[in-house]
Amino acid sequence: MIRLTNLCRLLPIFLILGSTLSIVEAQDQISPSLIQEIQELKTTVKKLEKIVEIQNQKINRLEESGGIKKTAVKEPPRAIEDTKVVPQTPTTIAEENPPSNAEDQDYRQLGFWKVPVDRGSATRFIPNISLNGVFAGAYFTEDPGPNGPNPSRTGFNLQEIELALQSVIDPYIRADVFLSFFEEGVELEEAYITTLSLPKGLQVKAGKYLLPFGRQNPKHLENWPFVNNMLANEALLGPEGFNELGVELSYLFPTPFYLLLQTNFTQGSNEDNFDGDRKGDFAYTARLSGSGEVAQDLTLLVGASGALGFNNTGQGNKTNLVGGDLLLSWRPSS
């Protein structure tokens, strides 16, 4: 397909050809080979003009029939990380009387099945649903006892069964809910909403969620690199992780490489660090992360995290946490 931009690029060539033809015709002696080349160039130009005319006619017909539609609002780009990725299906603003044909259908993921959804009906509110389970076999000389989602006894361990409900509510809000099932009962792991179309690289997340402190804490159990939690995270943030009720404001810098700042204002209910007795004992966290390609097959990601708040060792006693992380990813093109 010849685009109009390509025609604009060819315009200077056509002008040069026109001036060349006028000069050649004015000369008395013209070689036969030059005449043949000129005739071939004229033929090529006519073919290109014909192709552009046909494409313009197709574009006009599509515009008249409403075939060209605006795309949906997309979420700002995020870091190249190995965190959990669940397919999202953003939807556009529905027309007053949308036609019910194949082009206006969407799909929702329900476990292993894709269900067609008509964008013009209430079925578009069906969320993506996924279910996964993590089981482990272990042997201990002495059972460690309750240890969060880590294996805690010799034999078979049900670490977690997770039910995820995720959906784009409209072009402006996405909702995510994660329920965790254990042998002892059910727990609300995460439930939050995220904005999709704030200006200037801004994004807001609010609800109950795993805070972005380091690279390990925001990961769900099935995305852990090992069957156990990392020792530093377990010792400093607790076996259940740094999970809080609060609101996050993030800013994606307009740089040629990925650079993201995340700030969080949370309730401060982490039993290991931020569980002050006073009603105003909140916790505050921030994370700055950036990534870029060092070489064609090499990606570097660095991050720095900090948290401060009040603990329960005494009135007004504070806890300060700082951390850094580094990821060097090599993916050979072959």
Side-chain angles (χ1 to χ4, degrees), residues 208-278:
K208 177 180 171 62
Y209 54 92
L210 293 164
L211 295 178
F213 188 92
R215 285 176 42 79
Q216 171 73 1
N217 191 72
K219 294 181 180 179
H220 288 212
L221 177 61
E222 65 273 13
N223 290 316
W224 286 5
F226 299 100
V227 69
N228 283 6
N229 196 1
M230 290 184 179
L231 294 179
N233 282 61
E234 185 177 341
L236 295 176
L237 305 178
E240 300 295 337
F242 201 175
N243 195 326
E244 293 277 352
L245 276 167
V247 59
E248 175 185 287
L249 175 64
S250 62
Y251 177 63
L252 185 65
F253 290 87
T255 54
F257 56 92
Y258 174 84
L259 185 62
L260 178 67
L261 175 64
Q262 298 166 280
T263 58
N264 291 269
F265 172 53
T266 61
Q267 185 65 27
S269 57
N270 183 273
E271 295 181 358
D272 290 75
N273 296 289
F274 310 107
D275 195 16
D277 299 327
R278 299 177 301 179

Side-chain angles (χ1 to χ4, degrees), residues 77-90:
R78 289 299 173 192
I80 306 173
E81 297 194 32
D82 53 351
T83 54
K84 182 174 184 177
V85 177
V86 180
Q88 302 293 341
T89 23

